[in-house]
């Protein structure tokens, strides 16, 4: 399937301009889509809007947006009034500043797009921008109207391409202290830290995207294929429930050292481990 651009416009960095296109790096349309079906007839079910008070169906022409206040008052907003809040778009991806990539906290990263030339002649300009960002180890903060909202995008050099990622607004990001406020601190023993370091050392590897798949999506696809073929779907295997162990015992089990003691941090992970008997808390 030929990729379709989500947005096309002009990238403007000072007096340097270049026609560009944004392609969604994570398109949602390629996932399995399920519909609501009438079990009795096999027909799709359509949604109807019903008045919450009198139960009558509301025609499309009578449907209007509204805002409910804390006091329960409804403020109606006509389509033309809402349209005045939509910012005008000049189809320009305008530079705000160059920043170090490390300055942008990961929680602000929203949705990634591939930033590509919209015309063949723009390839050289984007190549220059890519090389400059990579050489200076910076990213470009830009703004544009994207899907009816003014959005900030962070443009970074990644391998041989440019990635433009929309950023969450500051008031959308929950402060970390809201989540961690009630979590008590804990003192960790030297043995725990040494065991954890040993486990990390023996489990080091590399990230290969193809090794990580959406298990739900894969099982759903297999289920649909089995039903189409008239086969009975195979039940999914579920992991066996394990016994409860203490944090220290769990670390010792994972490190292959059930008895008290610290493993050698340089032991070959392929060398035989001492036999052990699994201990569970009673």
């Amino acid at each position: 399937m030929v990729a379709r651009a989500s947005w096309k416009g002009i990238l403007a960095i000072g007096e340097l301009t270049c026609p560009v296109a944004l392609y969604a790096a994570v398109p949602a349309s390629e996932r399995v889509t399920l519909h609501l079906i009438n079990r009795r007839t096999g027909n799709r079910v359509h949604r109807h809007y019903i008045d919450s008070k009198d139960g009558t169906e509301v025609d499309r022409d009578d449907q209007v947006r509204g805002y409910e206040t804390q006091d329960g008052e409804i403020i109606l907003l006509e389509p033309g009034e809402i349209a005045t809040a939509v910012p005008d778009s000049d189809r320009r991806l305008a530079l705000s500043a160059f920043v170090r990539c490390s300055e942008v906290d990961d929680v602000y990263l929203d949705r990634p797009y591939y930033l590509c030339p919209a015309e063949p002649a723009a390839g050289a300009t984007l190549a220059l921008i890519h090389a400059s960002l990579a050489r200076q180890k910076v990213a470009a903060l830009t703004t544009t109207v994207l899907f009816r909202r003014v959005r900030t995008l962070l443009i970074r050099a990644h391998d041989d391409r440019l990635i433009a990622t929309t950023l969450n607004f500051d008031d959308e990001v929950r402060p970390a202290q809201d989540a961690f406020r009630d979590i008590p601190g804990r003192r960790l023993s030297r043995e725990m830290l040494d065991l954890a370091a040993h486990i990390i050392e023996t489990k080091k590897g590399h990230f290969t995207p193809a090794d990580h798949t959406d298990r739900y999506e894969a099982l759903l696809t297999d289920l649909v294929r089995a039903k189409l073929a008239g086969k009975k779907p195979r039940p999914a295997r579920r992991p066996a429930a394990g016994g409860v162990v203490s944090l220290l015992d769990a670390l010792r089990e994972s490190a292959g050292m059930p008895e008290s003691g610290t493993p050698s941090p340089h032991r070959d992970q392929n060398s035989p481990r001492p036999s052990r008997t699994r201990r569970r808390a009673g």
Side-chain angles (χ1 to χ4, degrees):
M1 181 182 296
V2 178
R4 181 178 179 182
S6 301
W7 181 91
K8 287 186 177 182
I10 300 295
L11 173 62
I13 300 179
E15 298 301 319
L16 183 67
T17 60
C18 172
V20 295
L22 295 176
Y23 293 85
V26 188
S29 59
E30 296 183 6
R31 293 186 175 275
V32 176
T33 302
L34 300 179
H35 303 286
L36 284 176
I37 305 296
N38 184 336
R39 184 192 299 274
R40 182 176 56 83
T41 65
N43 299 326
R44 285 185 59 177
V45 176
H46 294 288
R47 179 180 298 173
H48 294 271
Y49 290 91
I50 305 298
D51 189 289
S52 61
K53 295 294 185 181
D54 60 25
T56 59
E57 184 175 340
V58 181
D59 293 334
R60 189 177 189 86
D61 292 340
D62 292 326
Q63 297 173 17
V64 64
R65 300 286 182 178
Y67 175 81
E68 184 175 0
T69 67
Q70 293 182 346
D71 298 331
E73 181 182 0
I74 300 297
I75 308 298
L76 299 182
L77 299 174
E78 298 297 334
E81 295 173 327
I82 296 176
T84 62
V86 178
D88 294 331
S89 174
D90 59 1
R91 312 296 293 181
R92 290 173 70 85
L93 198 56
L95 173 73
S96 299
F98 292 108
V99 299
R100 294 195 305 272
C101 295
S102 58
E103 286 186 28
V104 182
D105 194 312
D106 287 350
V107 298
Y108 286 94
L109 300 180
D110 180 26
R111 188 173 185 185
Y113 293 86
Y114 297 125
L115 181 64
C116 305
E119 300 174 4
T125 304
L126 279 190
L128 172 62
I129 294 172
H130 175 279
S132 300
L133 294 179
R135 184 177 182 182
Q136 298 296 325
K137 297 181 180 180
V138 296
L141 278 176
T142 62
T143 58
T144 191
V145 176
L146 189 63
F147 307 129
R148 298 165 61 91
R149 301 176 70 187
V150 175
R151 299 300 303 263
T152 300
L153 292 91
L154 184 74
I155 300 177
R156 295 170 293 168
H158 181 72
D159 293 337
D160 59 347
R161 63 187 70 92
L162 286 170
I163 302 292
T165 306
T166 55
L167 300 183
N168 294 313
F169 296 108
D170 187 52
D171 58 1
E172 294 177 324
V173 176
R174 174 181 295 174
Q177 56 266 30
D178 289 354
F180 294 96
R181 180 182 295 112
D182 297 329
I183 298 179
R186 184 182 298 274
R187 293 179 61 87
L188 301 174
S189 68
R190 177 61 183 269
E191 182 182 2
M192 287 183 177
L193 294 173
D194 287 344
L195 285 168
H198 173 75
I199 294 169
I200 292 173
E201 186 64 31
T202 58
K203 294 293 185 181
K204 281 184 177 179
H206 298 281
F207 173 63
T208 305
D211 293 340
H212 305 273
T213 59
D214 186 342
R215 185 172 180 271
Y216 171 78
E217 189 78 7
L219 290 176
L220 198 59
T221 300
D222 291 343
L223 174 60
V224 172
R225 289 174 176 170
K227 301 279 280 190
L228 281 173
K231 299 179 181 179
K232 185 177 181 180
R234 293 178 298 178
R237 286 183 289 181
R238 301 190 180 279
V244 179
V245 296
S246 70
L247 176 59
L248 183 56
D249 284 343
L251 286 169
R252 288 171 177 167
E253 289 280 347
S254 299
M257 297 289 292
E259 300 299 329
S260 178
T262 302
S264 171
H266 303 293
R267 184 177 64 82
D268 185 353
Q269 70 180 80
N270 296 318
S271 61
R273 293 179 176 178
S275 61
R276 61 188 186 273
T277 302
R278 184 175 295 276
R279 298 184 298 173
R280 302 183 186 276

